[in-house]
Amino acid sequence: MSVRIEEIQEPSLKLQREFSPALLDEMFGEVSDISWINSSLLCAELQKTDGKVLLKAELTLQLRTGCARCLEEVSFSLPVSFSTLLIPQANYGRALKQFGGAEDFERAGSFQMALADIEPFDGKTIPLSLLAKEQVLLALPISVLCSETCKGLCARCGCNYNTHSCGCELKLVEPRFAKLKEIQLSKCKT
C-alpha cells in the first residue's frame, strides 16, 4: 500500500485505507503471538512542504494475545498515531547535515533526536504500509496482562491461580543452589 507523490495536491491529501486481518497477518507475519480481531482503518494526511512530505497518521488496532502471567486469551485495543517528515533519498544527506551532522549518524549505535521523525523515500512513492508497520511494531507492548491482579500459573502443575487453587508445595529451590542444602555446618563454640 503506497501513495504516489503526484496524488498529493494542495493543501493536502487526506485518505483512509483499510487494513484487513488477512493483510495485517501478512504484514506482521514475524509477530507470531498476536492475532487481529477485525479490520483497522488508517487515517492519514500527506502535505507537500519544500520538496518534502509531512505525513500524519493514526489507526487503532484490535488485537488478541495471551496474558503474560496466566496465558489466558486477552483482547485489547492499540491506538497508534504518528507524524513523519519524508525526504527524497537524493536530498537525505543534505538534510542530515542540516539537522545535525551526517558523520555521527553513520556510526553504529548513534542517535540524534532531531532525526527521529525523518524518513527517506525514493521521491516518487510513499510506502504507507511500511511506515505504518514500523510504528505499530514500536507501539506493541512487551507484555499484556489480563488484569493487574492476575495471579499467574503454578510453577509445578500449571494450575491457573485466577480460577483454581492447587495443593502444590510452593517452596521451590533454585536448581543452581540445590547442592547448598546438602552442606552441614557445625556449630563452633567460642
Side-chain angles (χ1 to χ4, degrees), residues 3-6 51 53 87-90 120-127:
V3 176
R4 289 189 332 272
I5 197 81
E6 300 89 37
V53 177
I87 298 175
Q89 188 71 44
F121 77 108
D122 67 4
K124 296 177 183 174
T125 58
I126 297 166

Side-chain angles (χ1 to χ4, degrees), residues 81-102:
S81 63
F82 61 97
S83 63
T84 303
L85 183 63
L86 301 158
I87 298 175
Q89 188 71 44
N91 302 337
Y92 192 62
R94 203 171 332 132
L96 289 178
K97 289 178 185 173
Q98 176 187 356
F99 287 110

Side-chain angles (χ1 to χ4, degrees), residues 183-190:
I183 297 175
Q184 298 290 324
L185 296 176
S186 62
K187 293 184 180 181
C188 295
K189 294 183 182 180
T190 54

Side-chain angles (χ1 to χ4, degrees):
M1 197 177 295
S2 60
V3 176
R4 289 189 332 272
I5 197 81
E6 300 89 37
E7 296 177 52
I8 304 171
Q9 301 298 320
E10 292 298 326
S12 65
L13 172 66
K14 293 181 180 180
L15 55 90
Q16 294 182 342
R17 299 286 160 90
E18 185 176 324
F19 289 93
S20 67
L23 178 61
L24 290 167
D25 280 338
E26 183 180 317
M27 284 174 63
F28 298 96
E30 69 273 6
V31 184
S32 61
D33 58 341
I34 60 173
S35 61
W36 312 96
I37 297 173
N38 54 23
S39 296
S40 297
L41 188 65
L42 173 73
C43 298
E45 180 178 6
L46 296 115
Q47 181 180 15
K48 287 183 188 177
T49 56
D50 298 328
K52 305 171 187 87
V53 177
L54 178 63
L55 167 66
K56 294 179 184 175
E58 59 184 43
L59 72 153
T60 301
L61 300 158
Q62 302 297 321
L63 307 162
R64 192 178 358 247
T65 189
C67 173
R69 290 185 189 157
C70 69
L71 305 180
E72 291 294 320
E73 193 171 88
V74 180
S75 298
F76 67 100
S77 181
L78 180 69
V80 178
S81 63
F82 61 97
S83 63
T84 303
L85 183 63
L86 301 158
I87 298 175
Q89 188 71 44
N91 302 337
Y92 192 62
R94 203 171 332 132
L96 289 178
K97 289 178 185 173
Q98 176 187 356
F99 287 110
E103 63 280 345
D104 289 340
F105 185 74
E106 295 297 326
R107 196 174 64 226
S110 65
F111 178 78
Q112 293 182 0
M113 195 61 179
L115 301 173
D117 294 330
I118 298 175
E119 291 282 334
F121 77 108
D122 67 4
K124 296 177 183 174
T125 58
I126 297 166
L128 204 52
S129 58
L130 289 176
L131 294 169
K133 177 183 178 178
E134 177 182 83
Q135 295 300 318
V136 169
L137 288 173
L138 289 170
L140 283 173
I142 293 171
S143 64
V144 177
L145 299 177
C146 59
S147 74
E148 288 297 319
T149 59
C150 179
K151 297 175 185 174
L153 301 175
C154 174
R156 281 224 165 147
C157 70
C159 170
N160 185 343
Y161 287 139
N162 296 316
T163 57
H164 299 90
S165 60
C166 63
C168 294
E169 183 181 332
L170 294 178
K171 187 179 175 184
L172 296 175
V173 177
E174 171 68 35
R176 294 175 289 184
F177 298 118
K179 281 291 187 189
L180 293 176
K181 283 183 79 175
E182 297 172 9
I183 297 175
Q184 298 290 324
L185 296 176
S186 62
K187 293 184 180 181
C188 295
K189 294 183 182 180
T190 54

